[in-house]
């Protein structure tokens, strides 16, 4: 190998206060494993000596908590972009110690090229192989790694021998030109490859290689609950009725996008059990265990994604059956996997989770009571406006019924009513297409709200001052105020 082999601490010593780092990873998949913790140790030592040490951190989406949390706990992060999921990072940004920029994931690479974001000086990237000529084989995700390496002055590699160089066979790596006149993204089907299996970088940029052998350690997703199973079944029943009525695109093969988490898993499992649909395909940002189960069962013919977000057990099965899966999976950079242009062209059916929705169809997927960030908007908005059919889903209540997920007005809007076609809770399905605000409100209250909250929501609608969208400014946040003051939205005073 022509590159210096470094310890994690030696790699961290190359980083200076005030730099902007681009870290590989899209969820824990493909996340760098050891250099971030070494940077955190460096930051702690610098702070102990009375010297400043903070960095701007850009990622693909979230990275592993083992990489993210030490940086936040060491007060090593000044600015974080575009998504996070580590409790320590969430606590720090909600306390105002980290400036957090929540962005649609498809937009990050272009924003970097146009100079809207801090310029990445060092890219820290996990690879399964590196050649003397600078040819990199990435691991279980592509994320923003191509854009980081394109912009960075210095590249530090974690060469992880756990992941196999054969992964290049399922990678479709390319970067998009800077606009204008950048041309279309010529992807006409999920299996359509437009790039290469490896990422070529200038070998002179590679400052060193840290050797690792470690799986991604994705947490096992929660087992289905009666509520999530019910939501999955309701979505499937709705899609089956739409399919029979001829209102879904691609009757020979539906193309699905699905978010992460146990509700998304339940929805995919239910669709996989359907005898109505032919096998589906996926054009999405994350493949979880449930997606590989559909592929293995022949219910998903092909899946394009940005990340293999698999539990360690499923990743082992993936490698043991690699010859089977490599014919059925592609991983792409997130500016391709999340491209609204491609989502529109393919006629995707988009399914993502919500924290709350209001009676007119606006969706909040990021903030608790309007101010406390959970994780971020992620890729849901990339697909929502452009998909052929956009479904948002959530349980109707949380915290034993003290919180209603259906409220008079969302405390924060990530997806306006114009981008939301269908809302689903375990109570039922509200098809919002072609409905006025009053008609949407009636459908959501009747079909999606928990029975404990339907009278309150109906009273709110009736007391509103009229207009096209009949809100009461005095009572719009009565549910949230009741929760903050009494711990139970059922105490709302309208």
């Amino acid at each position: 190998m022509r590159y210096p082999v470094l310890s994690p601490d030696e790699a961290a010593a190359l980083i200076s206060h005030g730099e902007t780092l681009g870290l590989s990873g899209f969820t824990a998949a493909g996340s760098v494993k050891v250099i971030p913790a070494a940077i955190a140790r460096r930051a702690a030592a610098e702070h102990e000596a009375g010297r400043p040490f903070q960095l701007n951190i850009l990622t693909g989406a979230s990275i592993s908590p083992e990489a993210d949390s030490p940086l936040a706990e060491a007060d090593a992060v000044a600015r974080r972009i575009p998504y996070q999921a580590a409790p320590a990072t969430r606590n720090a940004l909600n306390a105002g110690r980290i400036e957090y920029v929540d962005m649609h994931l498809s937009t990050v690479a272009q924003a970097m090229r146009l100079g809207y974001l801090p310029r990445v000086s060092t890219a820290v990237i996990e690879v399964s192989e590196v050649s003397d000529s600078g040819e990199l084989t990435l691991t279980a995700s592509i994320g923003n790694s191509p854009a980081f390496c394109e912009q960075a002055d210095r590249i530090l590699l974690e060469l992880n021998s756990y992941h196999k160089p054969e992964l290049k066979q399922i990678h479709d790596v390319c970067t998009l030109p800077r606009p204008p006149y950048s041309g279309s993204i010529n992807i006409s089907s999920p299996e359509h490859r437009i790039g290469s299996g490896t990422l070529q970088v200038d070998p002179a940029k590679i400052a060193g290689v840290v050797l690792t052998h470690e799986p991604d350690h994705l947490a096992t997703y929660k087992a289905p609950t009666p509520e999530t199973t019910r939501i999955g079944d309701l979505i499937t029943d709705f899609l089956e009725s739409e399919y029979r009525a001829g209102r879904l695109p691609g009757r020979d093969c539906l193309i699905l996008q699905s978010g992460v988490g146990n509700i998304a898993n339940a929805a995919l499992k239910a669709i996989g059990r359907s005898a109505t649909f032919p096998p589906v395909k996926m054009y999405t940002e994350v493949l979880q265990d449930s997606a590989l189960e559909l592929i293995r069962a022949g219910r998903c013919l092909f899946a394009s994604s940005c990340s293999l977000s698999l539990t360690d057990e499923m990743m082992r099965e993936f490698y043991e059956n690699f010859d089977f899966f490599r014919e059925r999976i592609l991983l792409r950079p997130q500016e391709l996997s999340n491209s609204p242009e491609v989502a529109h062209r393919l006629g995707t059916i988009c399914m993502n989770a919500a924290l709350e929705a209001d009676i007119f169809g606006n969706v909040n997927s990021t903030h608790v009571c309007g101010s406390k960030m959970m994780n971020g908007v992620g890729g849901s908005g990339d697909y929502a406006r452009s998909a052929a059919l956009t479904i948002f889903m959530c349980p109707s209540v949380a915290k034993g019924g003290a919180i209603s997920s259906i409220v008079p007005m969302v405390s924060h809007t990530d997806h306006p009513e114009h981008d939301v076609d269908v809302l689903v809770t375990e109570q039922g399905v509200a098809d919002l297409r072609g409905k006025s605000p009053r008609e949407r409100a009636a459908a959501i209250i009747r079909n999606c709200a928990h029975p404990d909250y339907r009278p309150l929501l109906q009273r709110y609608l009736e007391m509103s001052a009229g207009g096209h969208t009949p809100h009461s400014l005095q009572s719009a946040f009565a549910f949230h105020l009741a929760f903050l003051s009494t711990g139970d939205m059922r105490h709302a005073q309208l």
Side-chain angles (χ1 to χ4, degrees):
M1 184 188 303
R2 63 174 287 186
Y3 314 106
V5 176
L6 307 175
S7 70
D9 291 322
E10 289 172 331
L14 299 176
I15 307 298
S16 301
H17 166 66
E19 280 200 54
T20 296
L21 271 56
L23 306 182
S24 71
F26 198 103
T27 71
S31 174
V32 283
K33 306 291 192 293
V34 295
I35 294 177
I39 294 172
R41 292 192 294 271
R42 168 121 189 265
E46 292 293 298
H47 295 160
E48 183 69 22
R51 293 185 292 267
F53 191 92
Q54 283 199 313
L55 307 167
N56 300 316
I57 302 294
L58 275 69
T59 60
S62 59
I63 56 176
S64 69
E66 292 79 11
D68 215 351
S69 295
L71 291 169
E73 291 164 352
D75 194 26
V77 183
R79 186 173 299 271
R80 183 76 161 80
I81 307 170
Y83 188 87
Q84 54 75 43
T89 302
R90 182 185 306 124
N91 292 339
L93 66 90
N94 280 323
R97 297 194 301 274
I98 294 176
E99 299 296 339
Y100 178 53
V101 182
D102 186 22
M103 294 179 65
H104 297 301
L105 299 185
S106 69
T107 65
V108 177
Q110 178 166 293
M112 290 170 55
R113 295 189 187 103
L114 294 175
Y116 300 162
L117 302 178
R119 185 178 179 278
V120 170
S121 51
T122 300
V124 187
I125 308 295
E126 182 180 80
V127 298
S128 58
E129 188 176 51
V130 53
S131 74
D132 287 350
S133 63
E135 191 176 16
L136 309 182
T137 299
L138 302 173
T139 60
S141 71
I142 309 298
N144 276 321
S145 293
F148 294 153
C149 291
E150 177 185 45
Q151 188 172 81
D153 301 314
R154 177 199 298 123
I155 299 172
L156 293 170
L157 300 177
E158 289 192 6
L159 180 57
N160 187 352
S161 58
Y162 176 85
H163 287 295
K164 301 181 185 302
E166 287 82 2
L167 283 173
K168 70 184 69 170
Q169 298 176 43
I170 67 165
H171 290 171
D172 186 28
V173 180
C174 69
T175 57
L176 299 181
R178 175 182 168 133
Y181 317 123
S182 55
S184 62
I185 300 173
N186 191 26
I187 296 174
S188 56
S189 65
E191 58 267 47
H192 191 177
R193 185 191 293 264
I194 64 170
S196 65
T198 56
L199 173 61
Q200 182 66 52
V201 303
D202 181 353
K205 287 185 175 185
I206 300 176
V209 176
V210 175
L211 304 179
T212 66
H213 183 87
E214 193 172 339
D216 290 323
H217 299 304
L218 269 87
T220 302
Y221 289 102
K222 298 177 182 177
T225 66
E227 289 77 18
T228 60
T229 299
R230 169 73 173 158
I231 290 171
D233 289 341
L234 285 169
I235 290 173
T236 302
D237 291 345
F238 171 77
L239 291 177
E240 286 178 339
S241 68
E242 291 295 290
Y243 182 82
R244 287 190 290 266
R247 288 191 289 266
L248 294 183
R251 287 185 58 80
D252 59 330
C253 186
L254 306 181
I255 298 178
L256 307 180
Q257 179 270 328
S258 175
V260 299
N262 60 338
I263 300 179
N265 276 323
L268 284 182
K269 288 177 181 291
I271 290 171
R273 292 191 297 267
S274 172
T276 299
F277 309 122
V280 301
K281 295 180 182 179
M282 296 184 71
Y283 195 88
T284 190
E285 60 182 348
V286 170
L287 294 182
Q288 300 182 116
D289 287 20
S290 56
L292 262 69
E293 290 167 359
L294 292 185
I295 294 172
R296 185 175 55 193
R299 293 296 297 154
C300 178
L301 300 177
F302 198 91
S304 168
S305 182
C306 180
S307 170
L308 281 177
S309 296
L310 306 177
T311 59
D312 291 348
E313 179 181 357
M314 184 60 81
M315 182 60 80
R316 286 193 295 271
E317 180 173 335
F318 169 78
Y319 278 133
E320 289 169 0
N321 299 278
F322 184 75
D323 286 344
F324 171 80
F325 286 115
R326 70 182 174 88
E327 301 293 334
R328 295 164 175 84
I329 292 173
L330 276 182
L331 298 184
R332 312 180 194 267
Q334 65 197 67
E335 60 182 327
L336 298 185
S337 68
N338 290 49
S339 166
E341 173 193 349
V342 178
H344 179 76
R345 181 183 302 120
L346 297 184
T348 51
I349 296 170
C350 159
M351 301 175 291
N352 287 287
L355 283 181
E356 64 178 6
D358 66 32
I359 57 176
F360 301 106
N362 302 291
V363 166
N364 169 19
S365 57
T366 59
H367 286 72
V368 176
C369 288
S371 61
K372 297 294 185 182
M373 170 62 70
M374 284 295 291
N375 298 334
V377 71
S380 54
D382 294 325
Y383 303 98
R385 181 167 296 181
S386 299
L389 183 67
T390 293
I391 301 170
F392 280 95
M393 50 199 179
C394 60
S396 64
V397 292
K399 290 191 178 295
I403 293 176
S404 174
S405 299
I406 308 300
V407 294
M409 180 182 285
V410 288
S411 58
H412 176 91
T413 304
D414 293 293
H415 310 286
E417 60 188 83
H418 318 290
D419 297 346
V420 181
D421 296 321
V422 179
L423 188 63
V424 184
T425 73
E426 83 286 354
Q427 300 296 323
V429 176
D431 183 354
L432 309 180
R433 295 170 296 176
K435 290 183 169 62
S436 70
R438 292 177 183 275
E439 292 169 330
R440 288 197 296 267
I444 290 171
I445 294 171
R446 180 177 65 250
N447 296 329
C448 295
H450 191 278
D452 288 353
Y453 288 95
R454 285 177 196 159
L456 281 170
L457 292 167
Q458 189 62 42
R459 189 185 316 159
Y460 173 83
L461 187 61
E462 292 167 355
M463 68 177 287
S464 298
H468 175 63
T469 303
H471 267 306
S472 166
L473 296 181
Q474 292 82 4
S475 301
F477 297 116
F479 280 34
H480 301 91
L481 293 172
F483 178 73
L484 292 173
S485 61
T486 73
D488 197 322
M489 287 186 176
R490 287 169 290 200
H491 298 154
Q493 298 297 312
L494 298 176

